[in-house]
Amino acid sequence: MRKITELSLEKYKEYLYEEEKSAATVNKYINDLNKLKKFADGKELTKSLIISYKEYLQADCCYKTSSINSFLAAANCFFEFMEWFDLRVKTIRVQKQVFTPAGRDLSKEEYKRLVKVAEKTGKTRLAMIIQALCAMGIRVSELEFITVNSVKDGVVKVYCKGKERQVLIPKALRVKILYYIHKNRISYGTVFCTNSGKPVDRSNIWREMKSLCGEAEVEDGKVFPHNLRHLFAKTFYHACKDIAKLAGILGHNSIETTRIYVMATSNEYQKQLDNMDLVINT
């Protein structure tokens, strides 16, 4: 009988680690599969049940299409691992957007206000982290590669998704981090750590960033670590218009992924349409 059991999930988890998937990816796959397990409620997995699950996610849940597709992709990967190939279902086809919703992007002015409030309220580490994420365009998970030695060298070697890439530290940021290292008497290893000595994680930074919103007068929905990476991407692209180089800096395998980062907002797109002068006034 084909069911998702704790034993099969444990074996699959072990397989994912052997495939060198990151801890975050492994946890997401397992969490997504637990959604399917809960939906199945002890029943045997059949193609009709998986189709019902897909319909349930679309009709009865408030998930975005991209989230639903990620749940289905996780299920399909598990089915392949278990050799239950007949259970695989198609993901939902989505036409690529040509613009992003207005009001979601963080502006450079808002970013600067967040940093200033962090500094003003004595959250020096947070202020440095926000600037490192935005000025270098790195992911939160890549903060741990900013070490004392890498700052002294001015180049950070980042290992992510099975690849190594080198990320330059802007000169002004390097000076600030070196001062931070000296002031906090950090002699070696990762620069941005918790009080227990572990590298800071996404949840810590997310929570601390949200606490700045009120005084910085920035909408809560705009303030999350990955939006700083988007701001870096847009600023870099507007400066040089080289999407291939930007893809390399961000560590993307595909330029199509990078295009999402530099997409115009709906307001910008609307302005372009209005300036085309293709409506005839009679």
Side-chain angles (χ1 to χ4, degrees):
M1 187 173 285
R2 298 187 292 188
K3 292 184 177 182
I4 300 176
T5 64
E6 291 302 320
L7 180 59
S8 64
L9 284 178
E10 197 59 39
K11 287 182 177 178
Y12 184 54
K13 190 175 183 179
E14 187 177 320
Y15 162 76
L16 292 173
Y17 277 121
E18 288 174 354
E19 288 290 299
E20 299 186 31
K21 301 294 185 185
S22 70
T25 299
V26 173
N27 287 336
K28 185 185 183 309
Y29 277 28
I30 299 303
N31 288 337
D32 289 353
L33 287 170
N34 277 322
K35 286 182 175 66
L36 173 56
K37 181 184 177 185
K38 184 178 180 181
F39 176 83
D41 194 25
K43 300 185 187 75
E44 181 180 5
L45 299 183
T46 63
K47 186 62 175 280
S48 61
L49 185 141
I50 303 305
I51 292 173
S52 296
Y53 175 62
K54 178 179 176 180
E55 292 171 348
Y56 160 75
L57 291 173
Q58 289 180 268
D60 299 334
C61 299
C62 299
Y63 295 117
K64 294 180 181 178
T65 302
S66 58
S67 297
I68 295 172
N69 280 341
S70 74
F71 299 152
L72 298 177
N76 286 338
C77 289
F78 177 71
F79 297 153
E80 289 177 9
F81 169 74
M82 298 296 293
E83 298 185 355
W84 299 341
F85 301 110
D86 59 304
L87 295 184
R88 292 177 299 183
V89 291
K90 295 179 180 178
T91 54
I92 304 165
R93 294 184 63 184
V94 182
Q95 183 176 332
K96 291 179 181 178
Q97 286 185 278
V98 295
F99 58 86
T100 58
R104 193 180 72 176
D105 285 348
L106 188 70
S107 71
K108 191 181 290 187
E109 290 70 28
E110 289 170 329
Y111 154 69
K112 289 179 178 179
R113 291 206 299 272
L114 289 170
V115 173
K116 287 178 180 178
V117 169
E119 290 175 338
K120 177 185 171 184
T121 54
K123 298 179 179 178
T124 310
R125 184 187 68 184
L126 179 60
M128 292 304 309
I129 287 173
I130 292 173
Q131 291 174 89
L133 292 172
C134 195
M136 296 170 65
I138 58 176
R139 304 174 177 91
V140 173
S141 60
E142 296 171 343
L143 275 172
E144 64 176 293
F145 300 112
I146 301 179
T147 63
V148 173
N149 286 338
S150 68
V151 177
K152 289 177 179 177
D153 293 338
V155 181
V156 177
K157 286 185 179 180
V158 170
Y159 302 90
C160 185
K161 300 184 178 180
K163 296 179 299 182
E164 176 190 318
R165 76 181 194 280
Q166 293 189 340
V167 181
L168 295 176
I169 305 175
K171 291 180 180 178
L173 177 64
R174 182 169 171 263
V175 169
K176 294 189 79 168
I177 299 179
L178 284 171
Y179 178 73
Y180 175 86
I181 289 170
H182 173 73
K183 187 176 180 181
N184 290 275
R185 298 179 180 178
I186 304 170
S187 55
Y188 64 91
T190 300
V191 173
F192 303 115
C193 294
T194 62
N195 292 333
S196 62
K198 295 180 180 179
V200 291
D201 63 29
R202 190 190 316 272
S203 60
N204 291 336
I205 299 169
W206 186 298
R207 188 167 51 253
E208 287 190 70
M209 284 182 65
K210 293 291 184 184
S211 71
L212 305 174
C213 294
E215 191 168 346
E217 298 182 345
V218 182
E219 289 181 30
D220 181 89
K222 291 183 177 184
V223 181
F224 51 93
H226 205 68
N227 230 8
L228 298 169
R229 184 165 151 90
H230 277 262
L231 177 55
F232 168 88
K234 282 206 165 190
T235 305
F236 183 93
Y237 183 71
H238 287 316
C240 71
K241 302 294 182 184
D242 190 335
I243 197 165
K245 184 180 287 185
L246 176 59
I249 292 170
L250 295 176
H252 290 159
N253 288 325
S254 169
I255 286 178
E256 290 307 310
T257 303
T258 314
R259 290 189 196 282
I260 298 170
Y261 283 66
V262 298
M263 210 178 280
T265 65
S266 57
N267 285 344
E268 292 169 329
Y269 184 54
Q270 182 70 58
K271 189 175 180 180
Q272 290 170 352
L273 291 177
D274 293 341
N275 289 337
M276 289 171 67
D277 192 29
L278 292 177
V279 179
I280 312 301
N281 292 319
T282 56

